[in-house]
Amino acid sequence: MKIKLIKTFTHNNKEYKELNFDFDKLTGQDLIDAEEITRRAGANIAIGAADFSRSYVLSVAAKAAELPREALLNLSAQDFTNILNQTLIFLSGADSLSQEVNDKTA
């Protein structure tokens, strides 16, 4: 999924006007790794509540974009929020649920 950025963002001397998030390639291990990265970054998350932590969602987004989570912290607030929201939709399965509803009504 490509997400167009409202504000151009630079990482390692490369300018980005959009970022590509490949959520489909993520595995269960990637999600566990994201939780560990989040804990190492100093976030205090309760077991089972990781999906609701902004820091955890950021770690998942960074894995999907193949960028360091620290790089995504430099996005504008609006772009950052949009990316977290899209990642939450992926994690909640809401996108696949809406597709199921569409398939059943078609």
Side-chain angles (χ1 to χ4, degrees):
M1 158 191 300
K2 287 190 180 187
I3 297 178
K4 285 192 181 269
L5 302 175
I6 292 166
K7 193 172 180 184
T8 303
F9 144 78
T10 304
H11 173 66
N12 284 345
N13 298 321
K14 182 178 177 185
E15 268 193 9
Y16 294 88
K17 294 180 189 256
E18 66 182 18
L19 291 174
N20 187 39
F21 295 85
D22 190 356
F23 294 115
D24 291 334
K25 76 169 175 114
L26 295 178
T27 65
Q29 186 62 56
D30 288 324
L31 299 182
I32 298 297
D33 292 346
E35 190 171 336
E36 277 304 308
I37 289 166
T38 302
R39 288 183 199 285
R40 283 195 305 262
N44 187 12
I45 53 176
I47 295 173
D51 297 307
F52 303 105
S53 158
R54 254 187 264 149
S55 188
Y56 172 72
V57 174
L58 170 64
S59 296
V60 173
K63 282 196 159 291
E66 296 182 347
L67 287 168
R69 69 189 302 280
E70 293 76 17
L72 297 182
L73 289 170
N74 293 315
L75 290 166
S76 72
Q78 196 168 8
D79 286 324
F80 182 82
T81 300
N82 183 32
I83 287 165
L84 291 186
N85 286 340
Q86 293 303 315
T87 305
L88 276 169
I89 289 169
F90 162 74
L91 288 171
S92 70
D95 193 39
S96 61
L97 290 175
S98 65
Q99 183 61 43
E100 274 183 37
V101 169
N102 289 338
D103 289 347
K104 288 180 182 177
T105 60

PDB file of all heavy atoms in Angstrom, residues 6 28-29 38 41-42 48 51 87 98-99 106:
ATOM      1  N   ILE A   6       1.793  14.228   2.878  1.00  0.00           N
ATOM      2  CA  ILE A   6       1.393  15.622   2.745  1.00  0.00           C
ATOM      3  C   ILE A   6       2.632  16.508   2.690  1.00  0.00           C
ATOM      4  O   ILE A   6       2.694  17.454   1.931  1.00  0.00           O
ATOM      5  CB  ILE A   6       0.470  16.020   3.910  1.00  0.00           C
ATOM      6  CG1 ILE A   6      -0.851  15.265   3.769  1.00  0.00           C
ATOM      7  CG2 ILE A   6       0.245  17.518   3.963  1.00  0.00           C
ATOM      8  CD1 ILE A   6      -1.707  15.310   4.990  1.00  0.00           C
ATOM      9  N   GLY A  28       3.907 -13.406  11.597  1.00  0.00           N
ATOM     10  CA  GLY A  28       3.718 -13.373  13.048  1.00  0.00           C
ATOM     11  C   GLY A  28       5.008 -13.016  13.756  1.00  0.00           C
ATOM     12  O   GLY A  28       5.005 -12.259  14.737  1.00  0.00           O
ATOM     13  N   GLN A  29       6.112 -13.539  13.256  1.00  0.00           N
ATOM     14  CA  GLN A  29       7.416 -13.229  13.862  1.00  0.00           C
ATOM     15  C   GLN A  29       7.720 -11.740  13.757  1.00  0.00           C
ATOM     16  O   GLN A  29       8.280 -11.147  14.677  1.00  0.00           O
ATOM     17  CB  GLN A  29       8.529 -14.051  13.207  1.00  0.00           C
ATOM     18  CG  GLN A  29       9.884 -13.881  13.886  1.00  0.00           C
ATOM     19  CD  GLN A  29       9.871 -14.346  15.336  1.00  0.00           C
ATOM     20  OE1 GLN A  29       9.523 -15.482  15.618  1.00  0.00           O
ATOM     21  NE2 GLN A  29      10.257 -13.479  16.261  1.00  0.00           N
ATOM     22  N   THR A  38       9.646  -2.293  20.373  1.00  0.00           N
ATOM     23  CA  THR A  38       8.884  -1.293  21.117  1.00  0.00           C
ATOM     24  C   THR A  38       9.299  -1.274  22.584  1.00  0.00           C
ATOM     25  O   THR A  38       9.513  -0.217  23.173  1.00  0.00           O
ATOM     26  CB  THR A  38       7.371  -1.577  20.997  1.00  0.00           C
ATOM     27  OG1 THR A  38       7.031  -1.577  19.606  1.00  0.00           O
ATOM     28  CG2 THR A  38       6.550  -0.544  21.730  1.00  0.00           C
ATOM     29  N   ALA A  41      12.615   0.290  22.993  1.00  0.00           N
ATOM     30  CA  ALA A  41      12.548   1.747  22.807  1.00  0.00           C
ATOM     31  C   ALA A  41      12.032   2.443  24.064  1.00  0.00           C
ATOM     32  O   ALA A  41      11.964   3.662  24.113  1.00  0.00           O
ATOM     33  CB  ALA A  41      11.664   2.079  21.609  1.00  0.00           C
ATOM     34  N   GLY A  42      11.672   1.651  25.067  1.00  0.00           N
ATOM     35  CA  GLY A  42      11.275   2.225  26.348  1.00  0.00           C
ATOM     36  C   GLY A  42       9.781   2.308  26.581  1.00  0.00           C
ATOM     37  O   GLY A  42       9.348   2.828  27.600  1.00  0.00           O
ATOM     38  N   GLY A  48      -0.884  -8.247  25.691  1.00  0.00           N
ATOM     39  CA  GLY A  48      -2.205  -8.247  25.074  1.00  0.00           C
ATOM     40  C   GLY A  48      -2.678  -6.870  24.649  1.00  0.00           C
ATOM     41  O   GLY A  48      -3.632  -6.740  23.912  1.00  0.00           O
ATOM     42  N   ASP A  51      -1.311  -4.020  20.575  1.00  0.00           N
ATOM     43  CA  ASP A  51      -1.957  -3.516  19.372  1.00  0.00           C
ATOM     44  C   ASP A  51      -2.474  -2.097  19.531  1.00  0.00           C
ATOM     45  O   ASP A  51      -2.747  -1.432  18.551  1.00  0.00           O
ATOM     46  CB  ASP A  51      -3.112  -4.433  18.956  1.00  0.00           C
ATOM     47  CG  ASP A  51      -2.617  -5.821  18.610  1.00  0.00           C
ATOM     48  OD1 ASP A  51      -1.702  -5.919  17.780  1.00  0.00           O
ATOM     49  OD2 ASP A  51      -3.133  -6.784  19.187  1.00  0.00           O
ATOM     50  N   THR A  87      -2.070   1.491   9.570  1.00  0.00           N
ATOM     51  CA  THR A  87      -1.486   0.306  10.198  1.00  0.00           C
ATOM     52  C   THR A  87      -2.480  -0.321  11.174  1.00  0.00           C
ATOM     53  O   THR A  87      -2.615  -1.550  11.227  1.00  0.00           O
ATOM     54  CB  THR A  87      -0.159   0.668  10.901  1.00  0.00           C
ATOM     55  OG1 THR A  87       0.709   1.294   9.954  1.00  0.00           O
ATOM     56  CG2 THR A  87       0.515  -0.566  11.473  1.00  0.00           C
ATOM     57  N   SER A  98     -14.233  -5.637   5.773  1.00  0.00           N
ATOM     58  CA  SER A  98     -15.064  -4.888   4.831  1.00  0.00           C
ATOM     59  C   SER A  98     -15.072  -5.572   3.475  1.00  0.00           C
ATOM     60  O   SER A  98     -16.071  -5.563   2.775  1.00  0.00           O
ATOM     61  CB  SER A  98     -14.592  -3.438   4.713  1.00  0.00           C
ATOM     62  OG  SER A  98     -13.308  -3.373   4.155  1.00  0.00           O
ATOM     63  N   GLN A  99     -13.965  -6.209   3.109  1.00  0.00           N
ATOM     64  CA  GLN A  99     -13.917  -6.948   1.849  1.00  0.00           C
ATOM     65  C   GLN A  99     -14.867  -8.148   1.908  1.00  0.00           C
ATOM     66  O   GLN A  99     -15.565  -8.428   0.953  1.00  0.00           O
ATOM     67  CB  GLN A  99     -12.490  -7.423   1.541  1.00  0.00           C
ATOM     68  CG  GLN A  99     -12.347  -8.129   0.207  1.00  0.00           C
ATOM     69  CD  GLN A  99     -12.727  -7.241  -0.970  1.00  0.00           C
ATOM     70  OE1 GLN A  99     -12.375  -6.090  -1.023  1.00  0.00           O
ATOM     71  NE2 GLN A  99     -13.485  -7.797  -1.904  1.00  0.00           N
ATOM     72  N   ALA A 106     -22.208  -8.806  -2.965  1.00  0.00           N
ATOM     73  CA  ALA A 106     -22.066  -8.701  -4.436  1.00  0.00           C
ATOM     74  C   ALA A 106     -22.825  -9.803  -5.138  1.00  0.00           C
ATOM     75  O   ALA A 106     -23.188 -10.799  -4.663  1.00  0.00           O
ATOM     76  CB  ALA A 106     -20.593  -8.762  -4.818  1.00  0.00           C
TER      77      ALA A 106
END
